[in-house]
Amino acid sequence: MKIGSQAHHSSAISTSNETTILIRGRDLTQELMGRIDFTEHFWLLLTGALPTVPQRRILDSTLVAIAEHGLVPSVQAARMTLAAAPEALQGAVAAGILGCGSVVLGSSEAAGYFLSAIATRIDTGISVEQAAKAVVLEYRAERRSIPGYGHPLHKDFDPRVWRLFDVAKENGGVGLHVEIARQVELLLPDLLGKPLTLNVSGAIPAVLLDAGYPLRALKGVPILARTAGLIAHLLEEQLRPIGFVLSHAAAAATEYDGEMPPGFRGTP
Amino acid sequence: MKIGSQAHHSSAISTSNETTILIRGRDLTQELMGRIDFTEHFWLLLTGALPTVPQRRILDSTLVAIAEHGLVPSVQAARMTLAAAPEALQGAVAAGILGCGSVVLGSSEAAGYFLSAIATRIDTGISVEQAAKAVVLEYRAERRSIPGYGHPLHKDFDPRVWRLFDVAKENGGVGLHVEIARQVELLLPDLLGKPLTLNVSGAIPAVLLDAGYPLRALKGVPILARTAGLIAHLLEEQLRPIGFVLSHAAAAATEYDGEMPPGFRGTP
Amino acid sequence: MKIGSQAHHSSAISTSNETTILIRGRDLTQELMGRIDFTEHFWLLLTGALPTVPQRRILDSTLVAIAEHGLVPSVQAARMTLAAAPEALQGAVAAGILGCGSVVLGSSEAAGYFLSAIATRIDTGISVEQAAKAVVLEYRAERRSIPGYGHPLHKDFDPRVWRLFDVAKENGGVGLHVEIARQVELLLPDLLGKPLTLNVSGAIPAVLLDAGYPLRALKGVPILARTAGLIAHLLEEQLRPIGFVLSHAAAAATEYDGEMPPGFRGTP
Amino acid sequence: MKIGSQAHHSSAISTSNETTILIRGRDLTQELMGRIDFTEHFWLLLTGALPTVPQRRILDSTLVAIAEHGLVPSVQAARMTLAAAPEALQGAVAAGILGCGSVVLGSSEAAGYFLSAIATRIDTGISVEQAAKAVVLEYRAERRSIPGYGHPLHKDFDPRVWRLFDVAKENGGVGLHVEIARQVELLLPDLLGKPLTLNVSGAIPAVLLDAGYPLRALKGVPILARTAGLIAHLLEEQLRPIGFVLSHAAAAATEYDGEMPPGFRGTP
């Protein structure tokens, strides 16, 4: 049964024969292994070209920024999953990655589309402020939250944001998307009636889009970065398990408020 | 309900307050972002210490080696999943990672335990050859395959293996585990009655264990590496979709051989 | 770190002590096991009440309708995953379920919201036709596809649709949502310029919403049903493996069209 | 690239043409929808034959038994995942299913292989007691735990076990595997030096194997059953979210015990 469009029948990422593996046209063993680092390889896989030094540094700083932030939900889901199913580390990593969603961890993607929509509007000849205002108002009209702003812990300022902007500046990489991100932050108190600080998931797409990173791969940055953090937690879970301690404490923080036969007593 | 051992109640990877995020005791924004690359960060997350230059280079070469190998099963599962569920890139990545198993892609872990078992035996005072022979025979007695040997495409030699060994050599990182991996390859024709070449999933743990990478995090290397490859494929899937082409071709390669009412004709 | 709203701290589904497990206020072993079937239990879990006989029959017919449709993408992803990672059947099921998305298999959810939006409009006093037309035009204005209509194989009519409607009729369960679903089908040729037949993912929410099944659990029906189909395929995969045959055929149906060094030849 | 054995190229579960969908040789819309329930359909999908009434009842009782047990790790992982990624209910279900592992929830599979190994030994002519003793001792020699015995909450007796046995008895379905399961329980105090009660994951394979359910599909029972429970929790999560409450409480129950710069204070 043929589902969906079937216009394409090819891939341009890799091919191989018995002696050679090509990645984006380059001989894996001769040109890449031992010559480029993993971040360069990731950029090459995505774009078909090696990154410049500034591009690599900016990408590295975003991956380092978002890889780890303690016992957040995705990490807890992964550690509980490994505790229950130690036979499959890949399953525990997958459970963690599934929490890279639109609300937590994965909002870099939505923020990138938001910044990009403003940039497209600017191309039509209006100012950054006008374009930003127009798109923010459209989001509000559709009752969508403004992605990339606000953080439960880092309320007044997210320390990672300014560091990312500094790294971008040091590498000549501050451009239109960073400008937009800052402009929106200035406009939000007026437009929303309350201030909301730019968070790391808003700053990551700003610096990456300015550096030429592909828009539709933005969610790949928190996913790849967090995979590194998850693996570290799953190593620790094997050595000093807390998966069931986490789930026990979580369950103890909630009550059963459904029906009960008279006289029934739950076990804490 | 308390399940399992609950001896531990702490994690040593990250903590934070409103202004500072600590990763392994280091200030994320001041000491790490913009100063170390993603591979160094991964090593730091895992071990609590920054890698030496040789450690970083060896880890990079393994990540580059295993990130991508064309339209393998894990990539196909991910691309089909994105085609069916474009709303959740994280789900497509997770579907791909779930294929990082004991048979394909994830056998670095089992190979690491195998090499490590031989190394432990050597510590008791016997030779590499004696230890290797003993452990291979035990695996055979338990009908377990020898992990890290044999490859469906790269039958005579896996080009990535020798490149990994070269990178390790260039970085002073060839040690006992590489020696064991080679010794086993020499012994297999006799012990199994047929030659089986060392493959990339056998070479990765050999060079990483020699470099001091933690045994229980070995599966993290193909998982992290392949995540990069998956993201590249999922970017391409958005631009030039083939997910349904793949599933259509796969279905067409199989037949229905179950019961049928008389006269029933399937649709190709 | 507190993320999101934390207004609720309780669950009403299940509690237990050392001797008794309560499910929705009922004693699991005394009142449920051996007394109700799995479909009734599912309805009880979702709603807190046992279904009537018509509700159970309608739910059963939707679960039976959508459980299995051959080697579709989700099944292929699951079988390839088990072939690569036989140590974790749960991982293979998860890989399959991840393909229950907005495009394939999971569109019952979007179709339910669509039918429900029309029903809400009717509550304001306009006719079924007027309400249906208004909502279809809004979807078109937002360039959203009309969920629940069209099928790649069952173009002229989806045999499952009429059977579902018959089962609903036999059980006194045809109501407003079925009427809406049919009305939309009549309007589409005019509104879209081409006919699109109601498919199974449109009929499922129609009969279930008429039966009182909860809107926000609609995606649970294809997910639960397909889980049954996936387990059957994963049993077959253990007995007669085709996971790698599928991926081999799929890969062979595509070409590499990226860069290549002069003279490079791929291996088919 | 051809991986693994490729001896098989067919599937016997389902095929279709434009007007008819066959499931195990039966016309889906004419013979199955509206005529059989979901449990019967599951058995048909697995085995190719409809279950007898006793088989259906026993399968139903196992599915009802294991579908739900409150805020266990798999449910927490699913609810946290939906809170973070509300765009993909399938991802939250998948995260929950991934916790159906060898330690928690999924041990029915290992228990089934254990009971089956004893049954095979009995076929050679020794007594149930002798066979059970032999296999238990082998497991202990290989330092494997005895699957299906012991429970963190239901220590003295698991109420679901006796109910399952009663349902089996009522349906004429108590046979060799139940006998083995009980015999092992009697032997464990002597063989392990402590009593361990049969738990629900040991009783499920006992009654199912006696009823003719396929051994290699045993893990499908907790997976399918728990999927129903997960969907109920994910409906509740949409109406009364606690995903972040769970993760907040879990994080608060643990400490950071890694390195810290002098004077650093974490935020609770």
Side-chain angles (χ1 to χ4, degrees):
Chain A
M1 147 173 58
K2 298 204 177 184
I3 316 173
S5 156
Q6 309 219 331
H8 304 285
H9 290 77
S10 58
S11 172
I13 298 175
S14 176
T15 191
S16 55
N17 60 28
E18 219 173 305
T19 56
T20 307
I21 297 164
L22 288 189
I23 307 284
R24 292 292 191 180
R26 285 164 170 88
D27 186 315
L28 172 62
T29 56
Q30 299 305 308
E31 298 178 67
L32 304 176
M33 286 170 63
R35 301 196 192 284
I36 64 172
D37 68 24
F38 183 50
T39 305
E40 292 173 293
H41 194 57
F42 180 44
W43 189 286
L44 173 66
L45 282 164
L46 289 172
T47 68
L50 286 170
T52 62
V53 172
Q55 285 174 327
R56 171 171 62 74
R57 286 194 182 145
I58 290 168
L59 177 54
D60 266 324
S61 68
T62 62
L63 291 166
V64 170
I66 197 81
E68 172 63 26
H69 202 321
L71 291 168
V72 293
S74 56
V75 167
Q76 293 186 24
R79 293 187 75 144
M80 289 181 195
T81 303
L82 192 73
E87 68 276 16
L89 195 106
Q90 71 273 20
V93 173
I97 284 174
L98 287 167
C100 192
S102 58
V103 172
V104 174
L105 191 56
S107 49
S108 281
E109 183 185 53
Y113 281 106
F114 170 73
L115 299 176
S116 197
I118 298 174
T120 306
R121 219 56 78 85
I122 293 167
D123 286 346
T124 67
I126 60 175
S127 73
V128 173
E129 191 179 335
Q130 288 171 317
K133 208 169 160 175
V135 174
V136 169
L137 290 175
E138 283 172 26
Y139 269 59
R140 297 307 292 169
E142 297 168 16
R143 294 182 189 193
R144 298 166 67 184
S145 64
I146 307 301
Y149 293 84
H151 194 281
L153 172 61
H154 308 294
K155 279 182 187 123
D156 294 338
F157 102 123
D158 186 325
R160 295 166 293 182
V161 169
W162 301 100
R163 185 64 190 126
L164 280 178
F165 286 175
D166 281 347
V167 172
K169 231 179 291 169
E170 286 161 29
N171 287 285
V174 170
L176 182 60
H177 296 91
V178 168
E179 194 186 339
I180 293 169
R182 283 169 161 172
Q183 181 66 64
V184 170
E185 196 178 29
L186 294 175
L187 293 171
L188 285 185
D190 251 22
L191 297 177
L192 303 187
K194 62 173 176 178
L196 271 184
T197 1
L198 184 63
N199 64 33
V200 71
S201 295
I204 285 174
V207 300
L208 284 176
L209 291 172
D210 279 346
Y213 183 95
L215 174 62
R216 284 162 188 253
L218 276 174
K219 205 174 202 175
V221 169
I223 290 175
L224 182 63
R226 189 51 52 100
T227 301
L230 288 169
I231 293 163
H233 276 282
L234 294 171
L235 172 60
E236 193 183 66
E237 182 66 24
Q238 293 175 71
L239 304 172
R240 307 193 306 168
I242 58 168
F244 293 134
V245 169
L246 294 170
S247 72
H248 178 63
T254 58
E255 290 178 319
Y256 175 73
D257 66 353
E259 285 178 53
M260 270 189 288
F264 181 84
R265 284 208 191 158
T267 304
Chain B
M1 154 170 53
K2 299 203 177 184
I3 317 173
S5 156
Q6 308 219 332
H8 304 285
H9 290 77
S10 58
S11 171
I13 298 175
S14 176
T15 191
S16 54
N17 60 30
E18 220 174 302
T19 56
T20 307
I21 297 164
L22 288 190
I23 306 284
R24 291 290 190 183
R26 285 163 169 89
D27 186 314
L28 171 62
T29 56
Q30 299 306 307
E31 297 178 68
L32 304 176
M33 286 170 62
R35 301 198 191 282
I36 64 171
D37 68 23
F38 183 50
T39 305
E40 291 173 293
H41 196 56
F42 180 43
W43 189 286
L44 172 66
L45 282 164
L46 289 172
T47 67
L50 287 169
T52 62
V53 172
Q55 285 174 327
R56 171 171 63 73
R57 287 194 182 144
I58 290 168
L59 177 54
D60 266 325
S61 69
T62 61
L63 291 165
V64 169
I66 197 82
E68 172 62 27
H69 201 322
L71 291 167
V72 293
S74 55
V75 167
Q76 293 186 23
R79 292 187 77 145
M80 289 181 195
T81 302
L82 192 73
E87 68 276 15
L89 194 106
Q90 72 272 21
V93 174
I97 284 173
L98 287 167
C100 192
S102 58
V103 172
V104 175
L105 192 55
S107 49
S108 280
E109 183 186 52
Y113 282 105
F114 170 72
L115 299 175
S116 197
I118 297 173
T120 306
R121 218 57 76 85
I122 293 167
D123 287 346
T124 66
I126 60 176
S127 73
V128 173
E129 189 178 338
Q130 288 170 315
K133 208 169 161 178
V135 173
V136 169
L137 291 175
E138 283 171 26
Y139 268 61
R140 297 308 290 170
E142 297 167 15
R143 294 180 190 193
R144 298 166 66 184
S145 63
I146 306 302
Y149 292 83
H151 193 282
L153 172 61
H154 309 293
K155 277 179 191 127
D156 293 339
F157 100 124
D158 185 326
R160 296 167 291 182
V161 169
W162 301 101
R163 185 64 190 124
L164 281 178
F165 286 173
D166 281 347
V167 172
K169 232 180 289 171
E170 287 160 31
N171 287 284
V174 169
L176 181 60
H177 296 90
V178 168
E179 194 187 339
I180 292 169
R182 284 170 161 173
Q183 181 66 62
V184 169
E185 195 177 31
L186 294 175
L187 292 171
L188 286 184
D190 250 21
L191 297 177
L192 305 187
K194 62 173 175 178
L196 271 183
T197 1
L198 184 63
N199 64 34
V200 71
S201 295
I204 285 175
V207 300
L208 285 176
L209 291 172
D210 279 346
Y213 183 94
L215 173 63
R216 284 162 188 253
L218 276 173
K219 207 175 202 175
V221 168
I223 289 175
L224 182 63
R226 188 52 53 100
T227 300
L230 289 169
I231 294 163
H233 277 281
L234 294 172
L235 172 60
E236 193 182 67
E237 182 67 24
Q238 293 176 70
L239 304 172
R240 308 194 305 169
I242 57 169
F244 294 133
V245 170
L246 294 169
S247 73
H248 179 63
T254 58
E255 291 178 319
Y256 175 73
D257 66 352
E259 285 178 53
M260 271 189 287
F264 181 84
R265 283 210 191 158
T267 305
Chain C
M1 152 171 56
K2 298 203 178 183
I3 316 174
S5 156
Q6 310 219 329
H8 304 285
H9 290 77
S10 58
S11 172
I13 299 175
S14 175
T15 191
S16 54
N17 60 28
E18 220 173 303
T19 56
T20 307
I21 297 165
L22 288 188
I23 307 283
R24 293 290 191 182
R26 284 162 169 89
D27 186 315
L28 172 62
T29 55
Q30 299 305 309
E31 298 178 68
L32 305 176
M33 287 170 61
R35 300 198 191 282
I36 64 171
D37 68 23
F38 183 50
T39 304
E40 292 174 291
H41 195 58
F42 180 43
W43 189 287
L44 172 67
L45 283 164
L46 288 173
T47 68
L50 286 170
T52 62
V53 172
Q55 286 174 327
R56 172 171 63 73
R57 286 196 183 143
I58 290 168
L59 177 53
D60 266 324
S61 69
T62 62
L63 290 166
V64 170
I66 196 81
E68 172 62 25
H69 201 323
L71 291 168
V72 293
S74 56
V75 167
Q76 293 186 24
R79 293 187 74 143
M80 289 181 195
T81 302
L82 191 73
E87 68 276 16
L89 195 106
Q90 72 272 22
V93 174
I97 284 174
L98 288 167
C100 192
S102 57
V103 172
V104 175
L105 191 54
S107 50
S108 280
E109 182 186 52
Y113 281 106
F114 170 72
L115 299 175
S116 196
I118 297 173
T120 305
R121 219 59 76 85
I122 293 166
D123 286 345
T124 67
I126 61 176
S127 73
V128 173
E129 190 179 338
Q130 287 170 315
K133 207 169 162 178
V135 174
V136 169
L137 291 175
E138 283 171 26
Y139 269 60
R140 297 308 291 169
E142 297 169 14
R143 294 181 189 196
R144 298 166 68 184
S145 63
I146 307 301
Y149 293 84
H151 194 281
L153 172 61
H154 309 293
K155 278 180 189 124
D156 294 338
F157 102 123
D158 185 326
R160 295 166 293 182
V161 169
W162 301 102
R163 185 65 188 124
L164 281 178
F165 287 174
D166 282 347
V167 172
K169 231 179 292 171
E170 287 160 30
N171 288 284
V174 168
L176 181 60
H177 297 90
V178 168
E179 193 186 339
I180 293 169
R182 283 170 162 172
Q183 182 65 63
V184 170
E185 196 177 31
L186 294 175
L187 293 170
L188 286 184
D190 251 21
L191 297 176
L192 305 187
K194 61 172 175 179
L196 271 184
T197 1
L198 184 62
N199 63 34
V200 71
S201 296
I204 285 174
V207 300
L208 285 176
L209 291 172
D210 279 346
Y213 182 94
L215 173 62
R216 286 162 188 254
L218 277 173
K219 205 175 203 175
V221 169
I223 290 175
L224 182 64
R226 189 53 51 100
T227 300
L230 288 169
I231 293 164
H233 277 282
L234 294 172
L235 172 61
E236 192 182 68
E237 181 67 24
Q238 293 175 70
L239 303 173
R240 308 193 306 170
I242 58 169
F244 294 134
V245 169
L246 293 169
S247 72
H248 179 63
T254 58
E255 290 178 319
Y256 175 72
D257 66 353
E259 285 178 54
M260 270 189 286
F264 181 84
R265 284 209 190 156
T267 304
Chain D
M1 154 171 53
K2 299 204 179 185
I3 316 173
S5 156
Q6 310 219 328
H8 305 285
H9 290 77
S10 57
S11 172
I13 299 175
S14 176
T15 190
S16 55
N17 60 28
E18 221 173 302
T19 56
T20 307
I21 297 164
L22 288 189
I23 307 284
R24 292 290 191 184
R26 286 163 168 89
D27 187 315
L28 172 62
T29 56
Q30 300 306 307
E31 298 178 67
L32 305 176
M33 287 170 63
R35 302 198 190 281
I36 63 172
D37 68 24
F38 183 50
T39 305
E40 291 173 293
H41 195 56
F42 180 43
W43 188 286
L44 172 67
L45 283 164
L46 288 174
T47 68
L50 286 170
T52 62
V53 173
Q55 286 175 327
R56 172 171 62 73
R57 287 194 182 145
I58 290 168
L59 177 54
D60 266 324
S61 69
T62 61
L63 291 166
V64 170
I66 197 82
E68 172 63 25
H69 201 322
L71 291 168
V72 293
S74 56
V75 167
Q76 294 186 23
R79 292 187 76 144
M80 289 182 195
T81 302
L82 191 73
E87 69 275 16
L89 195 105
Q90 72 273 21
V93 174
I97 285 174
L98 287 167
C100 192
S102 58
V103 172
V104 175
L105 191 56
S107 49
S108 281
E109 182 186 52
Y113 281 106
F114 170 73
L115 298 176
S116 196
I118 297 173
T120 306
R121 217 59 76 84
I122 293 166
D123 286 345
T124 66
I126 60 176
S127 74
V128 174
E129 190 179 336
Q130 287 170 316
K133 207 168 162 179
V135 174
V136 169
L137 291 175
E138 283 171 26
Y139 269 60
R140 298 307 290 169
E142 296 168 16
R143 295 180 188 195
R144 298 166 68 184
S145 63
I146 306 302
Y149 292 84
H151 194 281
L153 172 60
H154 308 294
K155 276 178 191 128
D156 293 339
F157 99 124
D158 185 326
R160 297 167 291 182
V161 169
W162 300 101
R163 185 65 189 125
L164 281 177
F165 286 174
D166 281 347
V167 172
K169 234 179 291 171
E170 286 161 31
N171 288 284
V174 169
L176 181 61
H177 296 91
V178 168
E179 193 186 340
I180 292 170
R182 284 170 161 173
Q183 181 66 64
V184 169
E185 196 177 30
L186 295 175
L187 292 171
L188 286 184
D190 250 22
L191 297 177
L192 304 187
K194 61 172 176 180
L196 270 184
T197 1
L198 184 63
N199 63 34
V200 71
S201 295
I204 286 174
V207 299
L208 285 176
L209 291 172
D210 279 346
Y213 183 94
L215 173 62
R216 285 162 188 253
L218 277 174
K219 205 175 202 174
V221 169
I223 289 176
L224 182 63
R226 189 52 53 99
T227 300
L230 289 169
I231 293 163
H233 277 281
L234 294 171
L235 172 60
E236 192 182 67
E237 182 67 24
Q238 293 175 71
L239 304 172
R240 308 194 305 169
I242 57 168
F244 293 134
V245 169
L246 294 170
S247 72
H248 179 62
T254 57
E255 291 179 317
Y256 175 71
D257 66 351
E259 285 179 53
M260 270 190 286
F264 181 84
R265 284 208 191 158
T267 304

